Amino acid sequence: MTVALSLAIVAGVLAIATVLGLLLRSRTGRARVVTPRASDATTVADLASREAFGTAATLLQFSTPTCARCPVTARQLDAVAASRSTAKGPDRVRRLEIDLAERPDLARRFDVMQTPTVLLVDGEHTVRARFGGPPRQPELVTALDAVLTEEHS
């Protein structure tokens, strides 16, 4: 193999890796709307007691002990939940965290490929949106406000 061919192969591999990395990065933290259907992956009522959920919405965070971004995400979700709860009751929006190390069956059920993964759940315990990676603040607030607005309709 010539030096030129070796360099071309290395350059090609780097180009492909860069494109894949940029594609993954662009999708991380974006809201993905979950279409309602009769499935285990669209309801979360069996994951915790009724009191653990918010009355209007719940930000369900899947984490692992080794997740470096999970504590920051937890603080972000707590702040958003608090900002949306104070006006109409302290339990309106809550954050619920589930450790996948303790419940690995849920990773398969909810197709969790990275942590944190956040599910936006309405007052009926139905998954309305999901975020792979730390949610982007504007998208999180927009998705949450949409669920809260529908609550009043």
Side-chain angles (χ1 to χ4, degrees):
M1 185 179 315
T2 67
V3 173
L5 180 59
S6 298
L7 289 176
I9 291 171
V10 169
V13 169
L14 286 175
I16 290 170
T18 300
V19 168
L20 289 175
L22 290 173
L23 178 65
L24 288 173
R25 185 177 184 190
S26 71
R27 296 182 70 194
T28 297
R30 296 235 184 244
R32 191 177 82 193
V33 176
V34 176
T35 53
R37 61 178 189 258
S39 161
D40 260 1
T42 59
T43 184
V44 297
D46 61 324
L47 299 184
S49 68
R50 185 172 253 331
E51 296 79 32
F53 292 95
T55 57
T58 302
L59 300 168
L60 178 62
Q61 177 182 346
F62 291 110
S63 302
T64 57
T66 59
C67 174
R69 300 179 297 176
C70 290
V72 173
T73 300
R75 287 191 295 275
Q76 173 196 18
L77 297 178
D78 283 339
V80 169
S83 72
R84 295 305 188 266
S85 288
T86 55
K88 297 187 179 182
D91 296 331
R92 186 170 183 230
V93 180
R94 286 190 153 170
R95 178 184 68 88
L96 176 61
E97 187 168 356
I98 294 181
D99 185 348
L100 290 177
E102 295 175 7
R103 296 285 314 269
D105 58 304
L106 297 179
R108 180 173 291 123
R109 176 177 163 189
F110 291 99
D111 196 28
V112 176
M113 303 303 276
Q114 64 178 326
T115 55
T117 290
V118 177
L119 303 180
L120 172 57
V121 179
D122 64 17
E124 301 297 317
H125 304 134
T126 301
V127 178
R128 301 293 301 280
R130 71 179 288 136
F131 300 84
R136 295 180 185 198
Q137 186 79 8
E139 291 190 33
L140 174 64
V141 169
T142 299
L144 179 57
D145 286 346
V147 169
L148 296 176
T149 301
E150 287 178 16
E151 173 199 25
H152 296 296
S153 300

